Amino acid sequence: MIACPCEVCSSRDKKDNRLRSSILVQSATTTLVVDTTPDFRYQMLRANVRKLDAVIFTHPHKDHLAGMDDVRAYNFFLKKPMDVYANEMTQESIVREFPYAFADMKYPGIPEIRLNRIDKEPFMVGDIPITPIQVWHLRMPVLGFRFGKFTYITDANRIDEEEKEKIRGSEIIVLNTLRREKHISHYSLPEAIDEVRDLGVPRAYFTHISHQLGLHAVVNPELPPGIELAYDGLLLKI
Ligand SMILES: [Zn+2]
Ligand SMILES: [Zn+2]
């Protein structure tokens, strides 16, 4: 966190140095990201992502959306609009927050976006099958996504039983965990551990971690078997 003198924010352990939450999903032929955070540009530079086929959005909060303008680099090199998948609520925010990208008279060099509407129905991006899972971020419906045996859920603190059924059978889940103490719109550490157990997913990685959670080297060894803290650059093969 900017200007914070705490032990996590001043830690030299790379696993304590986090940018905002996002994942890159890659198959043999298709590459997509979930969310374009304010750090999207640096995240793509850091991971040397040369080709990006699509962006899928979970919800319109700024820490998940603000970096979308930088897809224009992919427009330029891939010579096509970026396919963006979002539900109605998120699409309204995209159009409101990046109005110049949807203007009738477009200034040269602005991002070219092709909006694709999603809701709760499964869809494909290239050869990647995706099942949306609706979860609750206080009162905001947020989309999690299941890709085969892998499920990604950020920004939630409650999941309805019928949506949990869509997650069960996953081999790996990534779930948000903000801190140890309870929070109004994110899972706390004890809540996230309980949720992983209830879902019966054997491997879990916690993401969207606040500096309030504590040092990676202290918290990670305390976690039950099969559960770990995620960190920037973590690579999982499924
Ligand atoms: Zn949020
Ligand atoms: Zn967030």
Side-chain angles (χ1 to χ4, degrees):
M1 178 167 278
I2 293 172
C4 179
C6 86
E7 61 173 0
V8 173
C9 293
S10 51
S11 169
R12 287 170 173 271
D13 182 348
K14 279 193 161 30
K15 290 178 178 174
D16 289 317
N17 300 153
R18 281 180 284 271
L19 301 180
R20 264 61 69 89
S21 304
S22 171
I23 58 167
L24 183 118
V25 179
Q26 198 160 46
S27 69
T29 61
T30 306
T31 304
L32 61 87
V33 292
V34 179
D35 295 332
T36 52
T37 81
D39 303 314
F40 171 73
R41 176 175 178 275
Y42 180 59
Q43 286 165 330
M44 295 302 99
L45 288 169
R46 185 174 66 174
N48 192 22
V49 180
R50 297 275 179 90
K51 174 178 165 284
L52 185 64
D53 299 297
V55 176
I56 298 173
F57 282 108
T58 59
H59 70 304
H61 281 163
K62 266 287 195 283
D63 57 328
H64 295 260
L65 179 59
M68 198 191 72
D69 185 85
D70 284 309
V71 301
R72 64 206 192 91
Y74 293 107
N75 297 152
F76 181 76
F77 286 109
L78 304 177
K79 297 183 174 34
K80 59 175 181 160
M82 180 59 69
D83 272 305
V84 167
Y85 294 80
N87 67 11
E88 187 175 4
M89 171 185 71
T90 301
Q91 287 200 13
E92 282 172 8
S93 290
I94 290 171
V95 173
R96 191 174 59 243
E97 295 185 25
F98 301 92
Y100 54 92
F102 302 95
D104 291 334
M105 294 287 285
K106 293 193 180 73
Y107 192 82
I110 58 164
E112 287 177 66
I113 303 295
R114 187 159 56 212
L115 286 176
N116 300 275
R117 175 74 55 88
I118 56 173
D119 44 47
K120 285 182 172 184
E121 298 307 311
F123 62 103
M124 298 285 293
V125 174
D127 62 349
I128 303 179
I130 304 164
T131 302
I133 297 155
Q134 195 205 278
V135 298
W136 294 103
H137 191 26
L138 185 59
R139 279 181 293 276
M140 175 183 276
V142 168
L143 293 180
F145 298 104
R146 179 167 173 169
F147 309 87
K149 299 280 188 187
F150 172 79
T151 297
Y152 178 74
I153 293 174
T154 185
D155 292 48
N157 64 343
R158 187 161 57 84
I159 308 174
D160 293 336
E161 197 52 43
E162 61 184 89
E163 296 298 291
K164 285 187 184 185
E165 277 307 313
K166 297 183 187 173
I167 303 169
R168 292 196 170 106
S170 298
E171 286 174 6
I172 301 178
I173 186 169
V174 174
L175 190 64
N176 73 117
T177 301
L178 199 72
R179 61 185 188 190
R180 293 177 192 272
E181 300 75 28
K182 205 170 168 55
H183 184 268
I184 56 164
S185 63
H186 286 274
Y187 286 115
S188 66
L189 187 62
E191 289 168 343
I193 292 169
D194 282 350
E195 202 63 279
V196 169
R197 290 206 173 109
D198 182 44
L199 291 165
V201 180
R203 280 173 72 192
Y205 294 87
F206 291 156
T207 190
H208 211 298
I209 295 167
S210 156
H211 62 148
Q212 295 169 336
L213 185 65
L215 294 167
H216 182 100
V218 172
V219 179
N220 201 50
E222 291 176 10
L223 299 177
I227 301 180
E228 291 185 65
L229 300 184
Y231 52 87
D232 282 34
L234 172 64
L235 184 67
L236 301 171
K237 290 192 177 179
I238 308 164

